[in-house]
Amino acid sequence: MSKSPDAFRSIGEVSRLVGVAPHVLRYWESQFPQLAPVKRADGRRYYRPDDVRLVAGLCQVMREEGLSIRGARRLIADDRGAGLREIGAARLGETLGGSAAQPAPAVRLAVPAVTARPAGHPPAQGNAKPPHRAPKPPGALPLFDGIGPAAAPGWLARLAAAAAALRRRELQGSALPVETQELCATLRASR
């Protein structure tokens, strides 16, 4: 027999629903005062539906999108966790029997939208002046574009793009740029 979506859930049930270990849930309780399950006299925790949605939202932004605890606290402070609960509800839609859409990335709340810009120029960050960089040579690899705090969530995508560019060059038989050849030689020598 399955529970109603409005039923209180034990820490083990929430752990299985969201995909986070129970000890992580207990740690999150200590880090986020808004996450406060009901505790029985014998110490068992029971999560309200709102708590379950908040945990699912935290899991989405912290585990899937790489947001730090400090960043998650800021998201909660902005709207008392309503945005994270919406993300959590979308994440749990299929698990709890609803038909919610795939959760939208929450990092968009913290990172400014990327607009079209000339190649080699990093995105502007609010009123801050972007650091001065020399234009990229035509054969440069995309790995180190826009390194900075706002670009941190995209490091893996840049790494994958650099690896793909290296593979394409290798398959085409074209030589690597001189700087890249020197870096490869240095890395091989340091092994």
Side-chain angles (χ1 to χ4, degrees):
M1 182 175 171
S2 63
K3 281 190 173 182
S4 161
D6 296 331
F8 282 36
R9 299 183 184 274
S10 69
I11 193 167
E13 290 172 313
V14 174
S15 172
R16 283 188 299 277
L17 270 173
V18 178
V20 176
H23 71 274
V24 174
L25 293 175
R26 288 189 290 272
Y27 176 71
W28 285 355
E29 287 174 27
S30 70
Q31 296 300 309
F32 303 104
Q34 297 82 359
L35 180 59
V38 176
K39 289 186 184 175
R40 287 182 19 174
D42 62 357
R44 292 187 190 177
R45 293 166 166 83
Y46 284 97
Y47 290 81
R48 296 177 284 267
D50 235 19
D51 293 330
V52 175
R53 286 189 285 274
L54 182 60
V55 166
L58 285 170
C59 182
Q60 179 69 27
V61 299
M62 291 173 62
R63 293 279 174 103
E64 307 295 328
E65 299 174 20
L67 199 63
S68 65
I69 289 179
R70 179 181 288 176
R73 282 187 191 138
R74 287 179 184 158
L75 283 178
I76 290 174
D78 286 345
D79 58 2
R80 295 186 180 174
L84 279 178
R85 285 185 181 93
E86 287 177 21
I87 291 168
R91 180 185 171 105
L92 292 172
E94 60 200 39
T95 310
L96 294 177
S99 58
Q102 189 70 0
V107 175
R108 66 178 162 69
L109 299 174
V111 177
V114 177
T115 57
R117 62 187 190 277
H121 294 285
Q125 299 172 357
N127 294 334
K129 266 179 94 173
H132 175 68
R133 288 196 178 94
K136 278 179 30 179
L141 298 175
L143 180 59
F144 298 110
D145 276 354
I147 293 288
W155 69 269
L156 186 57
R158 288 193 309 278
L159 181 62
L166 286 170
R167 270 190 235 106
R168 276 194 305 273
R169 283 177 182 263
E170 187 178 41
L171 292 174
Q172 293 170 351
S174 60
L176 293 173
V178 176
E179 301 86 17
T180 308
Q181 289 176 356
E182 292 170 2
L183 177 62
C184 288
T186 305
L187 289 173
R188 284 190 186 112
S190 68
R191 285 187 189 174

